[in-house]
Amino acid sequence: MVIRSMWKRCCLAQDRDLMCHIKTGFVLLVALTLSLSIIYFFYNFSLNPVKDPHNWFNLLNQSYNVVTEGLSGKKNVWNFVSNQQIIQTTTAQKNNISVHHHVAHPSNYHFILDEPDKCSQWDPFLVLMVPVAPRQVDARNAIRSTWGNESSVQGKAVLTLFFVGLTGGPEAQQQLEEESRQHRDLVQSNFVDSYFNLTIKTMVIMDWLATHCLQASYAMKVDSDMYIGLENLMSLLLAPNTPRQNYITGYMMWDRPVIRNKNSKWYVAEELYPEPKYPTYVQGMGYVFSNDLPEKIVEASKKVKAFNIEDAYVGACLKQLGIAPSSPPDPSQFRAYLGQYKREDFLRVITTILGSPQQLIDIWKDVKRPT
Ligand SMILES: *[C@@H]1O[C@H](CO)[C@@H](O)[C@H](O)[C@H]1NC(C)=O
Ligand SMILES: *[C@@H]1O[C@H](CO)[C@@H](O)[C@H](O)[C@H]1NC(C)=O
Ligand SMILES: *[C@@H]1O[C@H](CO)[C@@H](O)[C@H](O)[C@H]1NC(C)=O
Ligand SMILES: *[C@@H]1O[C@H](CO)[C@@H](O)[C@H](O)[C@H]1NC(C)=O
C-alpha cells in the first residue's frame, strides 16, 4: 500500500519520467531491505525459545513477578534482569534484601584475615584502604615499596591496608596467609572476590573503618593501580579550610547516566537502580573522606538497595544521608590519566592512574630522587 501510493505520487509528474524510474527503484530496494529485516527478526525470535529454556510466556510471567514481588530475594528476578552471566551467578538467597538488608551490607560477611589491633598500635591520622584481587601480589608489593611504605607524612602517621575477598582455592589461600604473616597488612572477608562484587568490598572497607579504626581522622579508598601524591594529599587534609566531618572529595562525577548497555562492564539493570542518572559522587579510583563517614554510610546502606557500581553506590548512600561530595580545592590534582610521564606533573597531583606495578616503582623512584 505504502509503496503503491508513493509510486503514484511520484509518477503523476509526467514530465519527470527518468526520475520516476529511479525513485521507484529506490523505493523497491528499501521495501526489500525492510522485508528482509522483518523476516530476519521473526527467524531470530522463533529461535529464541530453543536457545533459552524460558519460553515467551515464562518471560512475561517473570516480568510480572518482578513488578509484583520486587527484589525480595527471588531467584528468577535476578535471572530475568539480564542474560549476563555475572548476574545469573548471583543467587537468590545471597541477595536476601529483606533480612540482611541486601547483599552488600557488611553484616552478611565476616573477616577471615584481620588486623584488629593495627589502628590502636599505629594511631594513624590517615588510613589508605586498598581493594585488590587476592592474586594481585605484584600490585601489593609495588605499593608496599612506594606510597604504602610511607608511615609518616608531614609528621602525621599514615597506615596502608589491603582488602581482599575469597581466593577460590586452598593453595591461593595458603599463599595469602603467608603474605599476611609477613606483612601484617591484609584484611580478608568471606565474599566472592570479583569485579561485580566491588560494592561489597567497599562496604566491608567502610565497616572495618567504623569498627576497627575510629581513631583515624581521614581515610582514603584507593585502587591498587594508582599513584598517590601523599605530600599533596596531606597538605589538603591539614589545610585549615578542610572540613573534619561529613567530608568526601576526589574526582567529581556529576550527572552521570546509568549504563544500560548489557555488554558494558558498568551495566546496571533498571531493577537494581531505576533512575536514569546517578547522584553526584566521587570517582572510585581514589576518594578521601573524614572518618566519621564510614559508620554513617554503613548505616545508610540499609536503606539503599545495592547495585554493582561501588563509587556511585557510595554516592547514593551519601544522598540518603544528605551529604554532598565536595569539589577539591584544586580539581586538577585528582587526575585520571596524565599521559606521557613528566616529573613536574607527578609532583603536583594527588591521584593518577598508572599502567603497571613496575611503572609505579619507576615513577616513585624518579619523583622521590633528590634534586
Ligand atoms: C507464574 O508465576 C507464578 C508466581 O511465581 C507461579 O505461581 C505460576 O506457576 C507461574 N505460571 C507459569 C505458567 O509459569
Ligand atoms: C532470607 O533469609 C532468611 C533468613 O536467613 C530465610 O529464612 C529466608 O528463607 C530467605 N529468603 C529467601 C528467599 O532466600
Ligand atoms: C620501607 O622504607 C624503609 C625505610 O624507611 C626501608 O628500609 C624498607 O626497605 C622499605 N620497605 C620496602 C618494602 O621497600
Ligand atoms: C558476590 O558475592 C556473593 C557473596 O559471596 C556471591 O554469592 C556472589 O556469587 C558474588 N557474585 C559474583 C558475580 O561474583
Side-chain angles (χ1 to χ4, degrees):
M1 281 303 276
V2 178
I3 294 165
R4 201 186 302 160
S5 74
M6 279 176 81
W7 183 82
K8 263 192 202 156
R9 216 179 309 154
C10 159
C11 292
L12 276 177
Q14 302 148 319
D15 55 336
R16 279 182 272 155
D17 241 14
L18 183 61
M19 270 310 283
C20 176
H21 282 298
I22 292 171
K23 277 194 188 170
T24 313
F26 177 72
V27 165
L28 284 175
L29 194 70
V30 169
L32 189 70
T33 316
L34 207 73
S35 356
L36 277 176
S37 345
I38 291 171
I39 290 166
Y40 178 76
F41 175 79
F42 277 106
Y43 175 74
N44 245 356
F45 181 79
S46 67
L47 270 184
N48 258 340
V50 184
K51 282 189 283 185
D52 192 326
H54 307 298
N55 61 32
W56 177 235
F57 178 76
N58 258 342
L59 280 178
L60 276 178
N61 197 32
Q62 286 187 6
S63 77
Y64 169 80
N65 289 340
V66 170
V67 173
T68 53
E69 299 180 37
L71 261 178
S72 52
K74 283 218 65 132
K75 188 187 260 163
N76 60 1
V77 173
W78 282 80
N79 286 341
F80 175 75
V81 161
S82 112
N83 291 326
Q84 233 188 7
Q85 204 185 355
I86 275 176
I87 290 184
Q88 275 178 346
T89 58
T90 313
T91 54
Q93 108 250 58
K94 309 241 163 75
N95 293 290
N96 198 331
I97 290 167
S98 51
V99 176
H100 292 298
H101 314 297
H102 52 65
V103 68
H105 197 271
S107 63
N108 294 326
Y109 307 101
H110 64 263
F111 297 112
I112 301 170
L113 294 174
D114 198 0
E115 293 298 330
D117 306 322
K118 203 72 179 187
C119 276
S120 49
Q121 286 163 3
W122 278 64
D123 197 16
F125 172 79
L126 168 67
V127 206
L128 304 171
M129 310 294 268
V130 189
V132 60
R135 62 169 192 287
Q136 288 176 311
V137 60
D138 286 354
R140 290 193 287 276
N141 282 337
I143 292 169
R144 284 176 182 129
S145 66
T146 57
W147 48 265
N149 195 30
E150 304 272 297
S151 51
S152 169
V153 180
Q154 298 181 29
K156 298 285 185 182
V158 180
L159 174 63
T160 299
L161 289 168
F162 299 100
F163 282 76
V164 298
L166 295 171
T167 53
E171 206 174 303
Q173 184 61 28
Q174 248 173 23
Q175 279 168 13
L176 196 75
E177 283 171 17
E178 180 51 42
E179 189 184 330
S180 165
R181 274 191 291 276
Q182 199 183 336
H183 297 286
R184 293 261 150 250
D185 58 4
L186 283 171
V187 178
Q188 184 185 28
S189 177
N190 70 332
F191 60 87
V192 173
D193 198 301
S194 66
Y195 189 79
F196 184 82
N197 272 346
L198 280 182
T199 300
I200 302 181
K201 198 177 272 187
T202 294
M203 295 313 291
V204 163
I205 285 175
M206 294 298 172
D207 180 48
W208 195 90
L209 286 167
T211 54
H212 291 58
C213 207
L214 279 173
Q215 51 273 79
S217 299
Y218 293 94
M220 181 176 196
K221 182 250 151 184
V222 52
D223 285 344
S224 62
D225 57 351
M226 299 296 293
Y227 171 89
I228 300 296
L230 273 179
E231 290 289 337
N232 298 332
L233 173 57
M234 196 56 84
S235 300
L236 166 69
L237 296 179
L238 295 177
N241 295 341
T242 302
R244 321 233 153 243
Q245 288 200 319
N246 296 339
Y247 179 66
I248 180 164
T249 193
Y251 185 100
M252 302 292 287
M253 304 289 271
W254 287 288
D255 270 337
R256 291 302 165 122
V258 180
I259 309 288
R260 303 294 188 197
N261 172 4
K262 290 185 181 168
N263 298 320
S264 166
K265 183 177 169 183
W266 299 289
Y267 167 72
V268 174
E270 259 170 76
E271 283 78 0
L272 293 186
Y273 190 86
E275 277 132 86
K277 281 182 179 175
Y278 291 122
T280 302
Y281 66 97
V282 274
Q283 227 281 341
M285 62 188 175
Y287 50 83
V288 195
F289 45 94
S290 56
N291 202 32
D292 59 316
L293 281 187
E295 196 176 359
K296 295 174 185 171
I297 290 171
V298 170
E299 185 57 29
S301 80
K302 288 178 186 171
K303 299 191 201 94
V304 184
K305 193 194 287 177
F307 54 92
N308 50 304
I309 309 295
E310 66 90 13
D311 43 11
Y313 182 70
V314 169
C317 293
L318 291 168
K319 188 182 171 199
Q320 164 79 24
L321 290 164
I323 297 168
S326 307
S327 202
D330 178 359
S332 73
Q333 285 191 307
F334 287 86
R335 296 294 290 264
Y337 295 97
L338 276 175
Q340 184 73 39
Y341 173 71
K342 282 201 217 77
R343 187 167 184 262
E344 58 272 28
D345 288 346
F346 276 78
L347 285 170
R348 289 193 53 247
V349 295
I350 291 176
T351 66
T352 186
I353 302 172
L354 297 174
S356 69
Q358 190 55 47
Q359 197 188 12
L360 171 57
I361 293 168
D362 296 343
I363 287 179
W364 191 263
K365 231 178 258 166
D366 193 58
V367 170
K368 289 282 158 177
R369 83 183 139 83
T371 39

